[in-house]
C-alpha cells in the first residue's frame, strides 16, 4: 500500500464539520496529561532529593483523574461538553499553579496531596469529548457514517502520538529550564487545547438531555459487550505498563552501560512502529469481525512479548520492539472502534472516559509492579512473560466475546453496524 493510498481516506476527514480542529485541539490538550505526571515526578525530585514522594504524588494525581473521569463524561453526555470543559479547566489549572506556589513556600505534604487530588479530579475529559464528537459527526444521520472508522483510527493515532511528544517536551523543558517550566508548559497546552476543543464542540448538544436507564447508575457498564472491551483494554494496558519498565531494563542489561540512550531508542522504535501500523491499519477498507480481529492481533502481540524474554542481545530487542509496535497500533484502533460499536449516543462520552481511565490506571499499575521485579535475577525475563500472559488473557476474553450473540443484538439495537456473520 503506497503512502498516498494510506493517507487518502484520512484526507476525507476534512469534509467533517470541525474535523481538523478536533484533531489539532485534541492533540494539544492531551499533551498535558502526557507531560504532567513526568513533570510532577521531576518537580518533587528537585525539592525532596528522591523519587519516593514524587511517585506517590503521581499515583494520587492519576487515580483522582480516573475516579472523576466517568462522572465528568456523564455530564458531557447529559449536557453540552463545552461548559464541562471550561469548568474543569477552571479548577484544574489553579490547582496545579497553587501546587507550585505551595512547593515554593515549603507547604506540608498533606497540603500538596490535597492540591494534587483537586488537580487530578478536575482534569478535563478531553479524550471522551473528542471521540464522542467524532462519533456524533459521523453517525448515520450525518451521511458520513463511512468515515467513522477512519476518524476513530486517526484519533487513536493522535492519542498515541501525544505520549511520544509529551515526554520529549518535558525533556526539552528540563534541559532548557527546570521541572517547574515543564509543568507550566503542560498547563499552557491544557488551557489552549481545552478551550479550542470547547469552542469546537460548543454548538454540539449532549446526546441525551433526559436520564435513561443507561445514563443512570452504572451507565455504559450495563451494556452487553462493554465489560468485555474494558477487560481486554485493562489486560493489554497492563502488558504495556510492564513493557515500559522491562524493555529499558533489558536494554541496560545487554549493553552493560549506565546510559539510557539504548533504552530510549527501543521505546522510540516501538512507538514509531505503532504509529505507522496504526495509519496503515486504519486505512484498510476491508471489513472484518471486530471482536475476533483484536483477539487474533492480541495472540500475535502476546507471542512477541513472550519472545522478548529470550532476546539474546540489543538487536533482538530492537526487532522485538518493532514487531510489538506494529501490532500495538491495530490493537488500540480496534478496541477504540469497539467502544463506538457497543455504546449508544447517550453514553458515548462516558464510555470513552471509562476506557481511557482503565488504560491510565492499569498501565501505571503495571509500571509500579514491574519496578521491583526487574531488579531481581531473571526479572526482565519474568516481566516479559507476564506481559505476554496478560495479553494472551485479553485475547481469550476477546475470543469468548466474539462468540456471544448479545454483542450483535446490541449493535443492531443501538444503531451500530452488526458484526458480519
Amino acid at each position: 500500500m503506497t503512502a498516498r493510498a494510506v493517507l487518502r481516506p484520512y484526507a476525507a476527514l476534512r469534509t467533517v464539520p470541525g474535523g481538523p480542529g478536533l484533531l489539532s485541539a485534541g492533540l494539544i490538550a492531551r499533551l498535558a496529561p502526557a507531560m504532567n505526571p513526568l513533570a510532577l515526578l521531576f518537580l518533587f525530585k528537585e525539592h525532596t532529593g528522591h523519587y519516593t514522594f514524587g511517585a506517590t504524588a503521581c499515583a494520587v494525581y492519576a487515580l483522582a483523574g480516573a475516579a472523576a473521569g466517568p462522572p465528568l463524561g456523564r455530564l458531557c453526555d447529559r449536557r453540552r461538553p463545552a461548559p464541562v470543559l471550561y469548568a474543569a479547566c477552571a479548577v484544574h489549572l489553579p490547582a496545579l499553579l497553587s501546587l507550585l506556589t505551595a512547593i515554593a513556600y515549603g507547604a506540608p505534604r498533606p497540603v500538596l496531596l490535597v492540591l494534587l487530588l483537586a488537580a487530578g479530579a478536575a482534569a478535563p475529559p478531553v479524550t471522551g469529548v473528542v471521540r464522542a464528537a467524532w462519533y456524533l459527526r459521523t453517525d448515520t444521520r450525518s451521511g458520513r457514517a463511512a468515515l467513522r472508522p477512519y476518524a476513530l483510527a486517526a484519533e487513536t493515532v493522535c492519542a498515541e502520538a501525544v505520549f511520544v511528544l509529551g515526554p520529549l517536551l518535558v525533556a526539552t523543558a528540563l534541559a532548557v529550564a527546570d521541572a517547574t517550566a515543564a509543568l507550566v508548559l503542560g498547563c499552557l497546552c491544557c488551557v489552549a487545547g481545552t478551550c479550542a476543543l470547547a469552542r469546537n464542540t460548543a454548538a454540539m448538544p449532549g446526546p441525551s438531555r433526559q436520564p435513561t436507564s443507561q445514563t443512570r447508575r452504572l451507565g455504559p457498564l450495563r451494556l452487553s459487550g462493554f465489560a468485555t472491551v474494558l477487560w481486554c483494554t485493562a489486560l493489554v494496558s497492563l502488558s504495556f505498563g510492564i513493557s515500559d519498565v522491562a524493555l529499558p531494563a533489558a536494554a541496560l542489561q545487554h549493553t552493560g552501560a549506565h546510559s539510557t540512550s539504548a533504552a530510549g531508542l527501543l521505546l522510540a522504535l516501538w512507538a514509531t512502529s505503532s504509529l505507522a501500523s496504526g495509519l496503515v491499519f486504519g486505512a484498510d477498507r476491508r471489513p472484518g469481525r471486530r471482536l475476533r480481529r483484536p483477539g487474533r492481533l492480541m495472540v500475535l502481540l502476546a507471542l512477541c512479548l513472550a519472545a522478548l524474554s529470550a532476546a539474546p542481545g540489543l538487536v533482538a530487542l530492537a526487532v522485538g520492539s518493532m514487531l510489538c509496535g506494529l501490532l500495538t497500533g491495530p490493537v488500540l484502533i480496534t478496541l477504540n472502534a469497539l467502544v463506538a460499536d457497543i455504546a449508544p449516543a447517550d453514553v458515548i462520552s462516558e464510555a470513552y472516559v471509562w476506557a481511557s481511565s482503565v488504560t491510565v490506571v492499569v498501565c501505571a499499575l503495571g509500571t509500579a509492579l514491574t519496578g521491583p521485579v526487574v531488579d531481581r535475577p531473571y526479572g526482565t525475563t519474568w516481566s516479559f512473560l507476564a506481559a505476554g500472559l496478560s495479553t494472551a488473557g485479553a485475547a481469550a476474553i476477546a475470543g469468548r466475546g466474539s462468540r456471544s450473540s448479545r454483542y450483535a443484538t446490541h449493535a443492531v439495537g443501538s444503531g451500530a453496524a452488526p458484526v458480519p456473520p
Side-chain angles (χ1 to χ4, degrees), residues 62-415:
L63 289 174
L72 288 176
R74 182 172 298 191
L75 278 176
C76 292
D77 286 325
R78 293 278 299 278
R79 312 293 179 185
R80 290 184 300 123
V84 178
L85 290 172
Y86 283 129
C89 204
V91 176
H92 178 70
L93 293 176
L96 285 178
L97 296 178
S98 298
L99 176 69
L100 291 175
T101 304
I103 292 175
Y105 282 93
R109 290 184 178 182
V111 174
L112 303 182
L113 291 177
V114 169
L115 291 172
L116 282 167
L117 279 171
V126 174
T127 296
V129 170
V130 171
R131 294 181 178 178
W134 281 117
Y135 177 99
L136 295 172
R137 293 175 186 183
T138 56
D139 61 9
T140 53
R141 292 173 297 179
S142 69
R144 294 181 290 269
L147 295 179
R148 177 176 291 176
Y150 309 122
L152 294 179
E155 153 59 20
T156 305
V157 170
C158 282
E160 286 188 79
V162 159
F163 288 95
V164 176
L165 295 173
L168 289 177
L169 289 175
V170 172
T172 302
L174 290 173
V176 174
D178 55 14
T180 299
L183 191 62
V184 170
L185 180 59
C187 290
L188 292 175
C189 291
C190 178
V191 68
T194 302
C195 290
L197 180 60
R199 289 195 299 270
N200 191 294
T201 59
M204 187 180 73
S208 176
R209 295 284 184 155
Q210 299 299 325
T212 67
S213 62
Q214 291 171 335
T215 58
R216 291 193 298 262
R217 298 176 185 173
L218 296 179
L221 297 180
R222 296 164 52 96
L223 300 173
S224 298
F226 188 64
T228 297
V229 176
L230 286 187
W231 275 111
C232 291
T233 301
L235 290 173
V236 170
S237 299
L238 180 63
S239 71
F240 292 157
I242 294 171
S243 301
D244 283 345
V245 177
L247 194 61
L252 293 179
Q253 287 177 6
H254 285 296
T255 58
H258 297 288
S259 173
T260 58
S261 57
L265 177 63
L266 292 179
L267 291 173
L269 185 59
W270 187 317
T272 303
S273 300
S274 178
L275 292 174
S277 65
L279 285 172
V280 175
F281 183 83
D284 190 356
R285 299 172 181 267
R286 293 172 295 179
R289 298 188 180 211
R290 292 187 175 180
L291 273 178
R292 288 190 180 180
R293 179 185 288 180
R296 294 167 181 168
L297 291 168
M298 289 171 195
V299 168
L300 295 174
L301 181 57
L303 293 174
C304 290
L305 287 168
L308 284 173
S309 65
L314 193 60
V315 174
L317 283 173
V319 173
S321 299
M322 184 181 66
L323 292 176
C324 288
L326 290 175
L327 292 164
T328 297
V331 166
L332 295 178
I333 286 174
T334 311
L335 289 173
N336 186 8
L338 281 173
V339 176
D341 281 351
I342 292 173
D346 56 356
V347 292
I348 188 63
S349 296
E350 186 181 356
Y352 272 124
V353 172
W354 268 110
S356 61
S357 297
V358 165
T359 298
V360 170
V361 171
V362 178
C363 189
L365 177 64
T367 300
L369 292 176
T370 308
V373 174
V374 295
D375 289 330
R376 298 177 179 272
Y378 302 103
T380 56
T381 298
W382 288 112
S383 296
F384 283 127
L385 289 175
L389 184 61
S390 178
T391 307
I397 293 173
R400 182 180 178 182
S402 68
R403 294 190 293 271
S404 174
S405 61
R406 292 184 300 169
Y407 172 76
T409 301
H410 175 77
V412 173
S414 66

Side-chain angles (χ1 to χ4, degrees), residues 24-82:
S24 59
L27 181 68
I28 295 171
R30 275 177 296 195
L31 284 171
M35 296 173 63
N36 288 351
L38 190 58
L40 287 170
L41 182 65
F42 284 106
L43 180 67
F44 287 112
K45 171 64 168 62
E46 289 178 359
H47 285 81
T48 64
H50 52 78
Y51 289 107
T52 304
F53 182 70
T56 302
C58 291
V60 168
Y61 180 80
L63 289 174
L72 288 176
R74 182 172 298 191
L75 278 176
C76 292
D77 286 325
R78 293 278 299 278
R79 312 293 179 185
R80 290 184 300 123

